[in-house]
């Protein structure tokens, strides 16, 4: 079994590491030159950290990021209005982790290199030439042809691999622009010896501000705000990203009523450290896999774009990668026929699509909670959480990916049952249940 992976981001590196741990050969193809580092940071919740821990990466990641349990919601007078628990070692096994993207990718790349997984940088995927029940042949931009048992597209929201599966589907701009500034400043109460830096969301009448400590000691903070902004061409987005004076003015609009400690953090902004993130959404794909053979598979943002509000974009990409790798390795050992292999991939896809839908609903509710109160109050009940409500997130953060009807697949088991009838394929979750509704076959 040989798996070709397009993209060396979080999803691509994670599936490669998991496949390698299960004895499956893989090669990563990345269009960027090494080393590319990227911008921004990730919020990793217990559901992703648990999987990264199984790959032997958590201890190193934890020591290089900011660990926290709660996100505080505060108003313009700096009064706590609510607390959202994103991590809890006693309840979920882990705190949440805020880690810069360059550091996160460096840790994963180091593990990939240490384990001898081949990565071909500056190697751009072009298109699929042929796909059969046995495998897929694709072409690189330099003309090279590659044949593999499986092709995995982990190449982001603007995926080129997706064109083979859903050629008419493309991401579109949501109308929301995140403006982010990184400052070297410890954000905490005035008496910093009494209280550690705190992840805080300030919700005002006309604007909102998210303050996210970074680095292990919280010595750096990410300040983020969101603005409605008209759609731009690709060239205009690039031009805006370099117009630091304009970005600064956009960022500072409606900040005059923030508490003094927010205003103090704002004084540390270096215009050169301001960047933008236009939020793109992706229409639901009827399939993340190629039909009928399912030898080309999409992961992460290539299959589903989840806004970053609750940190589940990266977390669900890691879940995609880990669970798919487990399915592939189990199916490879079972030596299934191509038809049964395709059915097993379909089983994985169905389970993942249902979990992603629930994660999207959660993210939208949390995103609505970040809106200025004037905008949030216009929304219907049920589309955001009222102050004081604390939804049960054990289905998302708890041990196992299957604590609700939106189950993630940990592995697929193939059982040849006695008596007449076809081979039954069951999707097995880590808590021992099968299928989408308890102990039943999900494909026959």
């Amino acid at each position: 079994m040989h798996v070709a992976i397009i993209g060396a981001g979080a999803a691509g590196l994670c599936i490669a590491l998991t496949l390698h741990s299960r004895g499956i050969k893989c090669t990563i193809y990345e269009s960027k030159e090494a080393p590319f580092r990227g911008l921004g940071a990730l919020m990793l919740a217990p559901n992703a950290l648990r999987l990264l821990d199984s790959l032997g990466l958590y201890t190193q990641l934890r020591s290089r990021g900011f660990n926290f349990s709660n996100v505080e919601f505060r108003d313009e007078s700096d009064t706590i209005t609510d607390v959202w628990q994103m991590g809890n070692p006693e309840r979920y096994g882990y705190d949440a982790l805020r880690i810069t993207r360059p550091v996160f990718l460096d840790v994963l790349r180091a593990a990939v290199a240490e384990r001898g997984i081949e990565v071909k940088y500056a190697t751009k995927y072009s298109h699929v030439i042929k796909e059969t029940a046995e495998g897929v042949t694709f072409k690189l931009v330099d003309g090279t042809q590659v044949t593999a048992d499986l092709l995995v597209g982990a190449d982001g929201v603007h995926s080129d691999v997706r064109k083979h599966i859903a050629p008419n589907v493309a991401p579109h701009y949501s109308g929301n622009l995140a403006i982010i500034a990184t400052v070297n400043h410890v954000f905490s109460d005035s008496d910093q010896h009494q209280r550690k830096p705190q992840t805080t969301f300030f919700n005002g009448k006309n604007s909102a501000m998210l303050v996210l400590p970074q680095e292990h000691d919280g010595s750096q903070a990410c300040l983020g705000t969101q603005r409605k902004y008209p759609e731009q061409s690709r060239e205009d987005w690039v031009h805006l990203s370099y117009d630091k004076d304009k970005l600064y003015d956009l960022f500072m609009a409606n900040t005059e009523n923030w508490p003094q400690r927010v205003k103090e953090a704002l004084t540390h902004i270096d215009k050169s450290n301001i960047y933008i993130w236009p939020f793109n959404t992706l229409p639901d794909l009827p399939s993340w896999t190629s039909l009928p053979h399912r030898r080309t598979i999409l992961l992460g943002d290539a299959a589903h774009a989840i806004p970053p509000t609750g940190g589940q974009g990266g977390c669900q990409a890691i879940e995609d990668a880990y669970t798919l790798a487990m399915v592939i390795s189990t199916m490879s050992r079972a030596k299934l026929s191509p038809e049964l292999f395709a059915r097993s991939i379909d089983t994985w896809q169905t389970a993942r699509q249902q979990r992603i839908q629930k994660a999207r609903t959660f993210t939208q509710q949390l995103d609505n909670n970040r809106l200025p109160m004037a905008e949030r109050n216009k929304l219907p009940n049920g589309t955001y959480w009222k102050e004081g409500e604390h939804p049960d997130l054990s289905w998302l953060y708890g041990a196992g990916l299957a604590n609700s009807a939106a189950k993630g697949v940990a592995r697929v088991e193939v059982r040849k049952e006695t008596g007449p009838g076809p081979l039954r394929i069951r999707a097995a979750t880590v808590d021992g249940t099968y299928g989408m509704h308890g102990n039943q076959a999900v494909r026959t």
Side-chain angles (χ1 to χ4, degrees):
M1 170 73 69
H2 176 232
V3 180
I5 302 164
I6 308 300
L13 296 171
C14 283
I15 190 171
L17 288 166
T18 312
L19 286 170
H20 180 269
S21 72
R22 307 286 289 183
I24 301 294
K25 179 183 178 183
C26 58
T27 305
I28 302 174
Y29 298 85
E30 170 55 53
S31 62
K32 297 183 181 70
E33 295 185 2
F36 69 92
R37 308 205 76 206
L39 293 170
L42 294 89
M43 300 267 278
L44 297 176
N47 53 314
L49 295 175
R50 185 173 293 105
L51 303 183
L52 292 167
D53 198 3
S54 73
L55 295 173
L57 303 175
Y58 175 65
T59 300
Q60 188 176 173
L61 291 169
R62 186 181 188 281
S63 68
R64 300 185 66 181
F66 181 74
N67 301 272
F68 66 99
S69 292
N70 298 327
V71 178
E72 291 182 352
F73 289 79
R74 291 176 175 258
D75 60 20
E76 289 179 339
S77 67
D78 209 1
T79 300
I80 293 179
T81 60
D82 204 357
V83 176
W84 164 46
Q85 191 172 81
M86 191 173 177
N88 184 321
E90 289 73 31
R91 186 174 185 182
Y92 306 127
Y94 300 84
D95 274 325
L97 177 70
R98 170 86 177 173
I99 188 168
T100 64
R101 190 176 301 274
V103 169
F104 180 71
L105 292 178
D106 282 350
V107 170
L108 266 62
R109 288 193 194 109
V112 163
E114 178 188 344
R115 297 168 199 189
I117 300 170
E118 185 177 20
V119 184
K120 297 188 176 184
Y121 289 101
T123 305
K124 185 172 176 56
Y125 162 91
S126 175
H127 63 278
V128 170
I129 298 173
K130 180 179 66 173
E131 182 172 340
T132 69
E134 304 292 337
V136 58
T137 299
F138 62 95
K139 195 171 187 178
L140 303 176
V141 168
D142 66 7
T144 303
Q145 293 187 18
V146 180
T147 297
D149 296 283
L150 287 173
L151 172 63
V152 174
D155 50 342
V157 70
H158 299 289
S159 170
D160 288 320
V161 179
R162 189 172 59 237
K163 296 173 184 176
H164 176 60
I165 295 172
N168 298 319
V169 175
H172 62 269
Y173 175 55
S174 68
N176 294 315
L177 175 67
I179 309 171
I180 301 164
T182 302
V183 298
N184 293 318
H185 174 69
V186 177
F187 187 84
S188 65
D189 286 345
S190 56
D191 186 351
Q192 296 178 7
H193 298 289
Q194 295 297 318
R195 195 163 184 271
K196 61 182 287 189
Q198 181 66 42
T199 301
T200 311
F201 173 67
F202 290 91
N203 198 349
K205 293 180 180 179
N206 299 307
S207 64
M209 182 75 67
L210 189 61
V211 183
L212 305 170
Q214 298 180 163
E215 305 297 339
H216 189 68
D217 58 357
S219 59
Q220 188 181 85
C222 173
L223 311 179
T225 190
Q226 186 173 305
R227 298 281 186 268
K228 294 290 184 182
Y229 202 83
E231 185 171 10
Q232 307 289 301
S233 66
R234 183 178 291 246
E235 294 76 16
D236 287 340
W237 281 127
V238 172
H239 179 73
L240 178 62
S241 71
Y242 284 103
D243 191 344
K244 301 299 184 178
D245 289 331
K246 184 173 183 178
L247 292 181
Y248 180 79
D249 290 341
L250 284 170
F251 190 96
M252 295 299 291
N254 300 317
T255 60
E256 62 276 0
N257 294 323
W258 289 128
Q260 183 57 39
R261 65 191 181 114
V262 176
K263 291 180 179 179
E264 180 184 351
L266 293 174
T267 65
H268 291 267
I269 291 178
D270 180 342
K271 291 182 182 180
S272 65
N273 290 330
I274 300 178
Y275 61 96
I276 58 173
W277 186 352
F279 290 162
N280 288 297
T281 61
L282 188 68
D284 288 341
L285 302 180
S287 178
W288 299 357
T289 59
S290 55
L291 298 174
H293 305 303
R294 302 189 189 274
R295 291 283 167 167
T296 303
I297 308 168
L298 301 175
L299 293 181
D301 283 351
H304 51 80
I306 300 177
T309 310
Q312 283 301 309
C315 291
Q316 291 303 318
I318 292 168
E319 281 192 15
D320 286 348
Y322 185 90
T323 55
L324 177 60
M326 297 296 284
V327 169
I328 290 171
S329 64
T330 301
M331 295 299 92
S332 177
R333 291 196 305 273
K335 300 185 183 303
L336 296 185
S337 69
E339 180 184 11
L340 291 174
F341 193 101
R343 291 184 184 182
S344 302
I345 296 298
D346 181 41
T347 297
W348 167 83
Q349 173 184 269
T350 299
R352 290 302 303 157
Q353 285 176 322
Q354 292 202 15
R355 183 163 169 86
I356 290 295
Q357 188 55 52
K358 191 165 184 179
R360 276 181 174 164
T361 299
F362 153 77
T363 299
Q364 184 61 60
Q365 290 173 319
L366 190 59
D367 202 38
N368 289 341
N369 271 63
R370 290 174 57 180
L371 292 172
M373 286 185 287
E375 295 183 41
R376 188 183 64 184
N377 291 339
K378 297 176 184 178
L379 299 174
N381 289 333
T383 58
Y384 62 93
W385 292 321
K386 297 179 181 179
E387 293 175 0
E389 290 182 345
H390 296 280
D392 180 10
L393 296 178
S394 59
W395 66 269
L396 181 59
Y397 297 154
L401 302 177
N403 294 328
S404 73
K407 295 182 177 181
V409 177
R411 63 189 185 279
V412 171
E413 291 187 354
V414 179
R415 296 187 174 183
K416 292 184 178 180
E417 299 184 2
T418 58
L423 180 69
R424 293 188 175 185
I425 303 173
R426 300 178 182 272
T429 59
V430 293
D431 62 1
T433 61
Y434 294 92
M436 301 305 296
H437 300 289
N439 189 11
Q440 63 181 29
V442 294
R443 289 290 186 272
T444 57

